[in-house]
Amino acid sequence: MLDFVYQALPARVIFQTGALARLPDEVQRLGARRVLVLTTPGQRPLGEKAAQALGPLAAGICSEAVMHVPSEAAQAARAQAEQLSADCCVAIGGGSTIGLGKAIALTSSLPILAVPTTYAGSEMTPIYGMTENGLKTTGRDLRVLPKTVLYDPLLTRDLPAALSAASGMNAMAHAVEALYAQDANPIVSLMAEEAIRSLARALPAIVADIHDDAARADALYGAWLAGACLGAVGMALHHKVCHTLGGSFNLPHAQTHAIMLPYTAHYNQTAAPKALQRVARALGGDTAAQAGALLMALNRSLGLPWSLAQIGMPEDGVGQAAKIATENPYYNPRPVLHDDVLAMLQRAWRGDSVA
C-alpha cells in the first residue's frame, strides 16, 4: 500500500511569452499600491524597465541584491521598504534578488511578486537563506513564498550560455534531491523526473544557440517544476554541502551546485537506488550507478567547471567545509559521516571522476 502526504503550496503561476506586460495587473490583483522593485546592480536597467511598466505603482528601486543574501544587505533593503511605505515587493532577477525579497517578507510579511530571469527555482519555495559572519543559515516560512510568479522566457534571452548552463544545473539539483527526500511523494517525483528531463534537453540547445527561444522556454519550464519540488519536500546532503560552500567560502551559487551534483548523487546511489535510477532514466541511462557519471558528462558537455578548485575553493578549506556540513546535517538517505563527506569533497575539489 502506498502512503504519502502531499502539501500543495499556495502560489499563482503565469507562464507566458511576454508575461512582463501583465505585471501591473498582477500587482493590483494583490491589492498593492506602493511597490519596491528589487534587482541586482548589474540588472538595474531591467529593474527600471519593471518600474516603468508599473508606472505610479512603483515606489522605488533597490538594486543591491547580492549572492547568498548577506544580513547587512537584507537589513538595508528592509529599511528602504519601510521608508518608502512599500506594500509589495517585485523581485525581478535570479535567486539572489528573490532571496532579498524573501528576507524583507520574513520580517514584514510584505507580499512578493517574483519575475525570474534565471533557472534558480527559488521563486517556488518558502525557503529563505541569509549569511552572517561567514555562515549561511536557511529556514522555511510560508511568509516568504512569492504570491505570484511571472515566467517570461523572453527575460532569459540575455543570460549568457555559461550562466544558463550553471543555473539550469542548479535547478536540476533541486529535482534530484526531491526524489530521495525524507518526505518524497509520487506527485513530486513525477515533477522531478520531468524537470530533469526538460533541463537535460534544453541546456545543451541553449549552449549551442543562446537565442533558441524554444529551448529557453523548455529550460524555464523545467526550472519551474524543479523549484516546485524543492518547495514541497525537504533538502538533503547536496543542499547542505552547497550552502556550506557558498556561505562560508563565498563560492558562486549555481556553479557550486553544478559541480557537486554528480558527487552527491554518487554518494547516495546505494542508499536511494530507485530515486537515482529515475535520475539516470531522465538522462538517458538505466541504472542508479550511472546517475553520477551521467550528471558529470552533462556538466562537461555544457562547458561548466568540473572541480571546486576551479571556482576558488581553497584546498585547506575542504576540511572546514566537511566539519560544518556534518555538524548539523540535513536528512539524507545515506548517513552523513564526516570522513565520508570529507573524502567526497576532496574528490570534488580535484574534479575526480565518479565512474
Side-chain angles (χ1 to χ4, degrees):
M1 183 174 179
L2 184 64
D3 296 328
F4 68 92
V5 174
Y6 170 64
Q7 177 65 55
L9 295 176
R12 175 176 168 84
V13 173
I14 298 168
F15 196 107
Q16 178 185 5
T17 298
L20 187 62
R22 299 180 61 159
L23 184 58
D25 291 342
E26 292 300 320
V27 164
Q28 291 178 315
R29 189 177 183 276
L30 294 175
R33 294 294 180 268
R34 292 187 59 79
V35 179
L36 176 60
V37 177
L38 306 174
T39 188
T40 62
Q43 288 191 303
R44 185 174 178 94
L46 185 57
E48 292 172 349
K49 181 178 179 181
Q52 185 177 11
L54 287 166
L57 295 171
I61 300 174
C62 174
S63 58
E64 303 303 319
V66 292
M67 191 169 58
H68 305 306
V69 194
S71 59
E72 54 271 22
Q75 290 166 5
R78 289 166 179 163
Q80 185 175 354
E82 185 175 356
Q83 181 183 16
L84 293 171
S85 299
D87 58 6
C88 175
C89 290
V90 167
I92 183 163
S96 298
T97 300
I98 293 166
L100 185 61
K102 290 180 175 184
I104 296 172
L106 185 63
T107 59
S108 67
S109 297
L110 291 187
I112 305 169
L113 191 154
V115 187
T117 61
T118 70
Y119 308 123
S122 174
E123 66 279 355
M124 291 304 299
T125 83
I127 300 168
Y128 63 89
M130 280 180 281
T131 302
E132 187 171 11
N133 298 324
L135 290 175
K136 185 172 183 177
T137 57
T138 62
R140 283 179 179 261
D141 193 311
L142 282 176
R143 288 179 297 175
V144 310
L145 180 70
K147 304 298 184 186
T148 305
V149 182
L150 296 182
Y151 285 106
D152 186 346
L154 294 180
L155 296 180
T156 68
R157 273 180 169 176
D158 294 332
L159 194 64
L163 288 179
S164 297
S167 181
M169 292 304 295
N170 177 19
M172 191 178 292
H174 307 331
V176 170
E177 284 227 309
L179 286 165
Y180 55 70
Q182 187 174 22
D183 47 357
N185 62 72
I187 306 302
V188 168
S189 294
L190 284 171
M191 291 192 292
E193 190 170 346
E194 173 69 0
I196 296 167
R197 186 177 295 110
S198 296
L199 288 162
R201 179 175 59 237
L203 297 179
I206 292 171
V207 169
D209 178 7
I210 62 171
H211 302 298
D212 187 333
D213 288 341
R216 290 285 188 188
D218 207 12
L220 202 56
Y221 166 70
W224 164 46
L225 292 175
C229 292
L230 179 64
V233 297
M235 296 177 286
L237 174 65
H238 174 85
H239 282 81
K240 180 65 176 184
V241 167
C242 291
H243 291 162
T244 298
L245 294 171
S248 298
F249 299 93
N250 201 37
L251 299 187
H253 182 81
Q255 290 85 347
T256 301
H257 275 274
I259 289 167
M260 287 306 308
L261 187 55
Y263 296 98
T264 52
H266 182 74
Y267 187 97
N268 284 318
Q269 69 182 23
T270 57
K274 291 183 179 179
L276 273 301
Q277 184 180 27
R278 294 186 76 155
V279 174
R281 183 170 63 196
L283 295 171
D286 298 306
T287 67
Q290 294 175 299
L294 288 168
L295 288 165
M296 183 167 282
L298 180 57
N299 275 343
R300 296 290 183 98
S301 74
L302 297 173
L304 290 170
W306 61 84
S307 74
L308 293 177
Q310 288 178 288
I311 60 170
M313 179 67 184
E315 185 175 10
D316 61 5
V318 171
Q320 181 187 355
K323 182 176 183 293
I324 296 171
T326 56
E327 281 180 338
N328 185 26
Y330 300 161
Y331 161 83
N332 194 67
R334 175 180 165 184
V336 179
L337 304 178
H338 175 272
D339 289 353
D340 293 343
V341 171
L342 176 60
M344 177 187 70
L345 285 169
Q346 288 170 335
R347 291 194 299 273
W349 186 86
R350 295 187 300 264
D352 294 348
S353 171
V354 298

